[in-house]
Amino acid sequence: MNNWLSAHFIDAQYHIKKPILVAEFGKSFKGSSSYERDEVFNSVYYKIYASAKRGGAASGALFWQLLTEGMESFQDGYGIILGQSSSTANLIARQSRKLYLIRKIFARVANMRRWQRARARGFSGSGGGNGGRYIDD
C-alpha cells in the first residue's frame, strides 16, 4: 500500500500537478482487529502528512465510512462509530489536527510573501494616503 500511495502522490505532484485526496480507504473490522485497522489508518495518514508537510500533493483522506450510534444497519465492516472505536477516533483527530497546523503554517508563509512583495513595490502599509512619507508641517 505504501508503494501505491507514493506512486500516486508522485504522479499527482509532478505529472498532473494537482492535489490528491485519498478517498474511501479502510480495513474491514470483520476478520481483523482494531489494531490492524489502526495500522492501515496510521500508514495512510503518515504518507499524507509526510507529503503535506513538505508542500506535496497529498491534501487529505476520506475513510469509508463514518457512522453514528443507531446506524448499525449500514455497517459493512468498514464503518467507524467514534464512540465504539476510541483508538481509531484518536488517530482521526490527531491527523486532522496535524493537517490543520500545516495549513496554518503555509497560510502564514503565504501572507509573509505577499507582505514582502508589497513592501518591495514601495507600499509601506501606513494607510495615510501619501505612500507612507512623513510630511512636516
Side-chain angles (χ1 to χ4, degrees), residues 24-38 40-41 64-65 75-80:
E24 296 187 12
F25 78 94
K27 178 157 183 73
S28 177
F29 200 69
K30 297 176 181 176
S32 63
S33 67
S34 60
Y35 174 82
E36 290 171 302
R37 180 172 56 191
D38 290 351
V40 169
F41 274 69
W64 183 261
Q65 68 183 331
Q75 182 61 277
D76 60 359
Y78 291 89
I80 307 289

Side-chain angles (χ1 to χ4, degrees), residues 74-94:
F74 294 97
Q75 182 61 277
D76 60 359
Y78 291 89
I80 307 289
I81 300 174
L82 298 178
Q84 296 176 1
S85 307
S86 62
S87 62
T88 308
N90 288 334
L91 287 172
I92 295 164
R94 195 169 37 238

